Amino acid sequence: MNRTPVVFIHGAWLRASSWDPWAERFARRGFRTVVPRWPGEGAPGFRPGAPEVLGRVGLDGLTDHYAAVARSLGASPVLVGHSVGGLVAQRLVRIRVGRAAVAIAPAPVGGAVLPAGAARLWTPPVRPAGDLVSLTAGRFRQVLANTVDTAEAGSLFVHHAMPAPRRLLADLAAAAHQAPACTAGAARGPLLLVSGQEDRLVPDSVTREVYKRYGDCPAVTELKQFADRGHSLVVDSGWRSVADHVLAWLDEHGIHARPGGGR
């Protein structure tokens, strides 16, 4: 089938199932959708399928995992990532793996550093020890789902929450200080950065700073800000407005469900 593939990359503390409504919506528009799990993630539920595997996941390994998926598709995909997935999408499009990337509330890159309050949210606690860091339901609402009511936050937690690898969280601190974001010039595909203006985990100010650091890059880089939205903007009840903006942006840049034009 001659359809443009879209690879969805989820972030820390949300599992791949958080992309299911997006995948259905994009598929209805004619795209070929791919929603890979992280290594060791397992099926929906709180417990990872292989905790010893998930616990070893770092940023480079996660990037390589999705690079392998993208390269296996037979056509260059669109990469849509959230949180850590947004950082992975940027890393991949920079090395020309993927024809375009959308980074939604992306973990910082290129010298954009989280303010102290947000940085503490990403910092894994010293205790309890172990390779995986979990959030309680209350912490999940405080950190990820602060713009929705208690009932919706609880439902999101039950259906989509999973632990994050401690190694990955440590890697993110180093990634924020890596080289400037624009290294591939105009050769890379277009990039859309998306932020929620009430995001506590990746504040809007951080995504705006990342956007500014792409300022000298000749490749297309654009920013979309959503008012009154938190870090859960891809999975909470307002996800459609974000997904539809992404679909419209792809169309605007000539990236259609069927290469050659049209849906």
Side-chain angles (χ1 to χ4, degrees):
M1 285 184 281
N2 187 29
R3 293 189 295 159
T4 300
V6 180
V7 177
F8 294 97
I9 310 172
H10 71 84
W13 293 300
L14 286 174
R15 58 178 65 251
S17 59
S18 61
W19 286 121
D20 287 349
W22 284 67
E24 181 180 355
R25 200 169 192 83
F26 275 62
R28 286 181 178 177
R29 295 289 187 94
F31 289 95
R32 175 187 173 195
T33 58
V34 184
V35 189
R37 296 173 183 169
W38 285 12
E41 179 175 337
F46 291 113
R47 299 178 66 85
E52 70 284 358
V53 174
L54 182 62
R56 292 195 297 268
V57 170
L59 183 57
D60 287 343
L62 192 63
T63 303
D64 291 344
H65 173 70
Y66 281 99
V69 170
R71 288 172 172 144
S72 73
L73 298 175
S76 185
V78 174
L79 306 166
V80 180
H82 172 240
S83 189
V84 177
L87 173 55
V88 170
Q90 290 175 82
R91 293 177 114 210
L92 292 179
V93 79
R94 187 175 64 190
I95 59 172
R96 284 165 272 180
V97 176
R99 69 180 61 191
V102 178
I104 304 170
V109 68
V113 181
L114 288 166
R120 283 193 293 271
L121 299 178
W122 284 100
T123 303
V126 176
R127 296 181 182 279
D131 294 332
L132 297 174
V133 178
S134 299
L135 297 178
T136 64
R139 187 69 165 167
F140 181 91
R141 188 190 180 199
Q142 177 190 19
V143 172
L144 272 82
N146 56 293
T147 59
V148 302
D149 62 30
T150 302
E152 182 177 356
S155 178
L156 295 176
F157 179 76
V158 168
H159 290 99
H160 303 298
M162 80 168 192
R166 187 181 297 273
R167 176 181 174 183
L168 176 63
L169 298 178
D171 285 351
L172 293 175
H177 298 279
Q178 287 176 355
C182 182
T183 59
R188 73 153 169 83
L191 168 65
L192 174 64
L193 299 169
V194 177
S195 68
Q197 292 186 314
E198 299 300 323
D199 194 329
R200 292 176 177 171
L201 199 58
V202 182
D204 171 67
S205 60
V206 173
T207 305
R208 283 190 280 113
E209 179 62 26
V210 171
Y211 173 65
K212 290 177 184 177
R213 290 176 182 269
Y214 280 107
D216 294 331
C217 183
V220 171
T221 307
E222 297 180 5
L223 172 67
K224 171 63 178 177
Q225 298 163 280
F226 283 88
D228 304 319
R229 303 300 303 279
H231 201 68
S232 64
L233 77 171
V234 300
V235 69
D236 62 33
S237 54
W239 68 268
R240 291 175 186 82
S241 62
V242 185
D244 286 347
H245 181 85
V246 171
L247 284 164
W249 181 82
L250 291 173
D251 191 62
E252 177 185 343
H253 290 282
I255 302 171
H256 305 292
R258 298 189 183 277
R263 293 176 180 173

